[in-house]
Amino acid sequence: MCGIVGFVGQDHAKEKIIDGLKRLEYRGYDSAGIALPIDGKIQIRKHVGEIKNLEKIIGEPEFDSSVGIGHTRWATHGAPSDVNSHPHGNGDNSIAIVHNGIIENYQELKEMLAKEHGVEFKSETDSEVIAHLIGIFYDGDLLEAVNKAVAEMRGAYAVCAIAAAEPDKIVAVRKDAPLVAGIGKGFNFIASDIPALLKYVREVYLIENNETVVLTKDDITIYDEAGKKVKREVFHVTWDADAAEKEGYEHFMLKEIHEQPKGIYETLVRRINDDGSINLDGITMTKDDIEGFNKVYIVACGTAYHAGL
Ligand code: GLU
């Protein structure tokens, strides 16, 4: 699960999104990308490797907007590559999304979308189905389309979506993946973690599981699963950006010790289906393939090696 940053304001979304993504770099990632609505169309640029690779292909001043979504990916489904990087668009890029997490039933959804709607997929990711689902349900109301798409999805996700026809808003939703909305004046942010926002805002709403958020430059509206508006207390962040990366702990080691229960939960929740069975859908080997193995190499060092054993 890696980084999400969305911005909606009056100008220069690109700069704010890149700033925010850089603040999340310490979490590790394999590629980065950004989507901006420009002149009635969504433009997506993405690149494998570091954010500086992305920066090389987004330099021109015309590639900017007052709204946008950005992502750093940690691949779970499909190799790290330009095409598998986020954001993903639907067929005509009238919708674009970024996603953290795993969509467990993406194979079923992919088959349904291909068979019933003639969708052609560009990437190997689980995430691309989200853009197509929203696209199919879209009828001028992004919030409604996101809610309908979410009803079809199983898994763990934080998703941000934009629509070319509603270039003044971002709709975001979360289930078992973190999401926080940053409250500005004349602009608002959405991100997967607080450090991404701290250069610009100190007041945030912590979004809870199964909530949907609509952000415009002047408003942040949170809805619960039943579609009812939720009133959320403002959380004032008192840490500086460096301390926020450590979530208030004095050292990274302390933070890491204390986040073990959360870390284990977030890792396993994506791999355990609702019926208790284990989900390893990223592994495409059959039982016969596995039975044919005569040797297993564990390539890792330190704790990762011991865990591998
Ligand atoms: N499952 C998605 C992918 O492989 C999202 C990974 C992430 O959380 O960065 O593209």
Side-chain angles (χ1 to χ4, degrees):
M1 240 175 256
C2 215
I4 287 180
V5 182
F7 173 84
V8 40
Q10 321 202 21
D11 52 21
H12 302 312
K14 176 171 73 176
E15 172 196 328
K16 276 109 179 170
I17 291 167
I18 295 294
D19 270 355
L21 292 178
K22 283 183 175 167
R23 271 284 160 193
L24 300 178
E25 275 193 295
Y26 74 98
R27 302 172 65 103
Y29 63 100
D30 56 56
S31 51
I34 184 167
L36 305 171
I38 300 173
D39 298 335
K41 292 210 165 80
I42 297 178
Q43 294 198 27
I44 300 178
R45 307 237 178 126
K46 45 198 194 171
H47 210 297
V48 72
E50 293 179 36
I51 294 173
K52 61 177 190 244
N53 296 344
L54 173 66
E55 284 182 292
K56 285 184 197 145
I57 57 166
I58 59 170
E60 77 272 24
E62 303 76 49
F63 182 72
D64 209 345
S65 178
S66 52
V67 175
I69 51 175
H71 191 258
T72 45
R73 176 176 187 238
W74 187 279
T76 63
H77 292 60
S81 67
D82 290 349
V83 70
N84 287 340
S85 312
H86 299 214
H88 292 285
N90 63 334
D92 60 359
N93 282 4
S94 53
I95 302 288
I97 62 98
V98 289
H99 164 226
N100 280 356
I102 288 179
I103 303 305
E104 279 169 21
N105 58 336
Y106 82 102
Q107 288 287 20
E108 279 159 61
L109 292 172
K110 242 178 147 166
E111 277 159 34
M112 180 280 284
L113 287 162
K115 212 160 118 201
E116 291 174 26
H117 300 276
V119 168
E120 287 176 22
F121 288 86
K122 294 195 187 102
S123 78
E124 303 156 342
T125 65
D126 51 337
S127 312
E128 192 184 340
V129 296
I130 307 170
H132 292 289
L133 274 178
I134 296 174
I136 276 152
F137 290 125
Y138 189 74
D139 192 15
D141 184 339
L142 185 57
L143 172 63
E144 194 184 298
V146 167
N147 283 336
K148 286 185 178 162
V150 162
E152 304 294 322
M153 285 155 41
R154 284 201 320 269
Y157 47 81
V159 176
C160 288
I162 53 173
E166 293 172 87
D168 59 339
K169 72 170 67 145
I170 297 175
V171 177
V173 58
R174 70 155 281 193
K175 180 174 176 280
D176 294 322
L179 205 55
V180 41
I183 311 163
K185 286 201 173 67
F187 64 90
N188 288 305
F189 274 99
I190 186 92
S192 52
D193 209 352
I194 290 174
L197 313 176
L198 281 188
K199 188 167 162 194
Y200 301 99
V201 296
R202 292 255 142 212
E203 309 220 298
V204 303
Y205 293 126
L206 303 173
I207 308 306
E208 290 179 8
N209 248 353
N210 300 313
E211 287 181 343
T212 311
V213 197
V214 179
L215 299 108
T216 61
K217 71 180 173 46
D218 300 313
D219 274 310
I220 300 177
T221 315
I222 307 173
Y223 298 90
D224 68 12
E225 210 175 353
K228 277 213 339 247
K229 282 190 190 169
V230 177
K231 202 165 159 23
R232 180 66 27 83
E233 297 275 302
V234 173
F235 179 75
H236 190 82
V237 185
T238 50
W239 323 308
D240 64 21
D242 286 337
E245 283 178 8
K246 299 189 213 119
E247 281 172 19
Y249 290 104
E250 212 176 322
H251 307 289
F252 272 111
M253 190 171 87
L254 270 177
K255 175 185 173 240
E256 285 171 12
I257 289 169
H258 284 274
E259 72 187 8
Q260 281 176 16
K262 191 171 128 219
I264 290 169
Y265 175 80
E266 282 176 2
T267 307
L268 292 185
V269 74
R270 307 189 263 157
R271 293 293 176 197
I272 300 175
N273 299 326
D274 293 342
D275 63 3
S277 58
I278 304 293
N279 168 20
L280 292 176
D281 60 1
I283 297 173
T284 50
M285 288 175 289
T286 63
K287 192 161 178 266
D288 285 345
D289 292 337
I290 293 169
E291 277 169 0
F293 292 169
N294 56 16
K295 204 166 210 170
V296 174
Y297 292 95
I298 295 171
V299 184
C301 59
T303 309
Y305 177 72
H306 292 294
L309 287 182

